[in-house]
């Protein structure tokens, strides 16, 4: 299995993609995804799901000048680090989900037919390029 990570802007246009084996934790893959971005612009906020609820990740992203917006997990032991006002931005996560749905319009990306990972990653990037051209 392969995990496809996509970084998109506020309009859902993909800025970076990365692929990894599905057994890796997403918390450890976020920073490498940010390094793969096609622009030098650092987003002020990163909206993510509960899988990214990690205080060390929040600290590392804060050093880069990025605020992580994600709900806390249910079993969180430590004190909450953000209030409900910042989580209002989490409601716009549907734009990212829409971008992933656009990626799944490409049959070659939905099912991995390639043996080599770099070929599959190339097809994912090609699909993102087509999405960008359609949106602009």
């Amino acid at each position: 299995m392969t995990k496809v990570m996509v970084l998109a802007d506020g309009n859902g246009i993909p800025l970076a993609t990365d692929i990894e084996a599905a057994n890796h934790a997403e918390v450890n893959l976020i920073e490498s995804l940010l390094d793969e971005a096609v622009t030098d612009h650092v987003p002020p906020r990163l909206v993510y799901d509960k899988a990214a609820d990690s205080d060390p990740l929040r600290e590392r992203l804060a050093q880069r000048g990025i605020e992580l917006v994600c709900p806390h997990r249910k079993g969180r032991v430590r004190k909450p680090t953000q209030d409900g006002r910042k989580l209002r931005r989490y409601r716009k996560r549907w734009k990212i989900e829409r971008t992933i749905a656009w990626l799944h319009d490409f049959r070659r990306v939905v099912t991995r037919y390639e043996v080599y990972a770099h070929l599959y990653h190339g097809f994912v990037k090609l699909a993102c390029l087509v999405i960008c051209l359609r949106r602009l």
Side-chain angles (χ1 to χ4, degrees), residues 2-124:
T2 305
K3 185 180 293 188
V4 177
M5 303 277 293
V6 178
L7 175 69
D9 68 352
N11 296 320
I13 296 175
L15 299 176
T17 62
D18 198 12
I19 62 168
E20 277 295 329
N23 60 352
H24 289 88
E26 292 181 19
V27 174
N28 301 328
L29 304 176
I30 292 174
E31 291 174 291
S32 64
L33 179 66
L34 289 171
D35 294 336
E36 293 284 326
V38 294
T39 64
D40 292 333
H41 173 69
V42 177
R45 281 173 229 83
L46 178 67
V47 178
Y48 212 83
D49 57 2
K50 289 183 182 182
D53 183 26
S54 168
D55 289 334
L57 176 66
R58 288 179 196 275
E59 293 168 4
R60 290 192 305 263
L61 289 177
Q63 290 174 353
R64 289 181 171 207
I66 301 171
E67 176 189 10
L68 180 64
V69 178
C70 72
H72 293 303
R73 294 182 184 192
K74 284 184 179 180
R76 184 177 174 88
V77 177
R78 294 185 181 170
K79 228 169 67 173
T81 58
Q82 59 191 12
D83 56 1
R85 290 176 294 172
K86 292 182 181 178
L87 286 177
R88 282 186 237 160
R89 291 187 172 95
Y90 185 75
R91 286 187 267 175
K92 296 187 180 190
R93 178 154 168 73
W94 66 270
K95 294 180 181 181
I96 306 304
E97 299 295 338
R98 180 185 63 186
T99 304
I100 293 170
W102 286 340
L103 270 177
H104 287 174
D105 285 342
F106 298 92
R107 187 174 142 221
R108 191 91 184 218
V109 174
V110 174
T111 306
R112 181 177 166 177
Y113 296 107
E114 288 78 22
V115 175
Y116 299 109
H118 67 278
L119 291 177
Y120 180 68
H121 193 208
F123 280 112
V124 171

